[in-house]
Amino acid sequence: MALIECSGCGNTVSDKATACPHCGMPMAPAPGSSQPGNEGSNKNKWIIALAAMLVVMAVAGGFLGYNYYQQKQEAEKAKREKFVSDSIAQAMNDSLMQAALMEKQREDSIRITRELIVSAYTVKLNELDRMVDRKYETDFALKEYFLFDITQDGVPELWVKYGSCEADYELHVFTYADGKTRELYSDAAGHTGYAQGTDYILAVLGHMGYFQLKKISYDGKNVRAKVILDKTFGPDEDYPDVKEPYVPTADFSNTQMLSQFIK
């Protein structure tokens, strides 16, 4: 410990005193003097503050880094999900377009096929019309037709009935194949009407008490007729009712039935 002079009263005072005991003047530390432990304490405070700041910075940096990583992961996930979603949507759109194109091609093919069928049947009706006129040499000959798919292949057959009178009517059945018509079946049709079943035609003959039912069907190769009822009825007896509806017919010159087939 050293003694120093108080600048206020001139008395001798210890250099450790913070104020003069005589006059109360605050004492300034002597030049070159220092308080033990104070410098180390300040240094420790700075170290602690620096460490705390580094910890805060590290935590903040970690949080920001983790947040950035999470955002990046979410962005990549969203990008992948969008890519998958867009790919699925594109695939579905392509599939729908392809399906629509195929459906249009199918419809066009069906329409073209039907137009060809109608054209071929129209030609056949015109040929038969001229043939009937030459054969019977009369303007009163019956010329009727109807359409029915007896082969169940989606192509209706052309059923024609013609003759000079009720007694000599003929039935001829034509189909369309390979760009032309060909005859599948023919039979006498005198006094006969035709009723339509699900996959067959009933030939209903009734004349002067005689009644006959023929079932005309397709066996996979040929159109055949089988008699399922053959009976003579007395004058007071009525012919049995036919449950199947009679088919509507049209004259050879009326192609409306053919036109409806195209639609």
Side-chain angles (χ1 to χ4, degrees), residues 127-218:
E127 290 177 357
L128 293 172
D129 187 45
R130 292 191 295 269
M131 183 274 294
V132 171
D133 287 344
R134 289 195 304 269
K135 181 177 181 179
Y136 297 108
E137 296 181 351
T138 176
D139 295 333
F140 301 101
L142 174 73
K143 309 168 189 176
E144 294 181 343
Y145 77 94
F146 64 91
L147 299 175
F148 180 75
D149 186 8
I150 192 70
T151 58
Q152 298 292 292
D153 62 355
V155 178
E157 278 65 49
L158 176 66
W159 299 62
V160 296
K161 177 182 176 182
Y162 58 79
S164 63
C165 66
E166 186 75 17
D168 63 11
Y169 289 158
E170 301 175 24
L171 173 70
H172 295 269
V173 181
F174 299 91
T175 192
Y176 175 86
D178 301 325
K180 58 184 179 180
T181 58
R182 66 182 181 88
E183 189 168 358
L184 289 180
Y185 176 80
S186 64
D187 195 7
H191 308 287
T192 301
Y194 296 93
Q196 176 180 319
T198 54
D199 58 352
Y200 61 89
I201 289 291
L202 282 182
V204 185
L205 186 158
H207 180 61
M208 299 182 67
Y210 177 68
F211 186 82
Q212 183 186 78
L213 280 182
K214 283 184 183 179
K215 184 177 182 181
I216 304 173
S217 59
Y218 183 66

Side-chain angles (χ1 to χ4, degrees), residues 203-248:
V204 185
L205 186 158
H207 180 61
M208 299 182 67
Y210 177 68
F211 186 82
Q212 183 186 78
L213 280 182
K214 283 184 183 179
K215 184 177 182 181
I216 304 173
S217 59
Y218 183 66
D219 63 8
K221 293 183 179 180
N222 300 296
V223 176
R224 301 184 184 278
K226 179 180 180 181
V227 176
I228 58 176
L229 179 61
D230 191 82
K231 185 176 180 180
T232 300
F233 291 84
D236 297 330
E237 293 181 290
D238 294 328
Y239 292 144
D241 293 331
V242 177
K243 295 181 180 180
E244 290 83 350
Y246 282 87
V247 295

Side-chain angles (χ1 to χ4, degrees), residues 1 27 31 47 50 57 59 68 78 126 129 143 154 170-171 177 219 230 234 243 253 259:
M1 180 182 68
M27 302 300 294
I47 292 174
L50 181 60
M57 291 178 63
V59 171
Y68 172 76
N126 289 334
D129 187 45
K143 309 168 189 176
E170 301 175 24
L171 173 70
D219 63 8
D230 191 82
K243 295 181 180 180
S253 61
S259 300

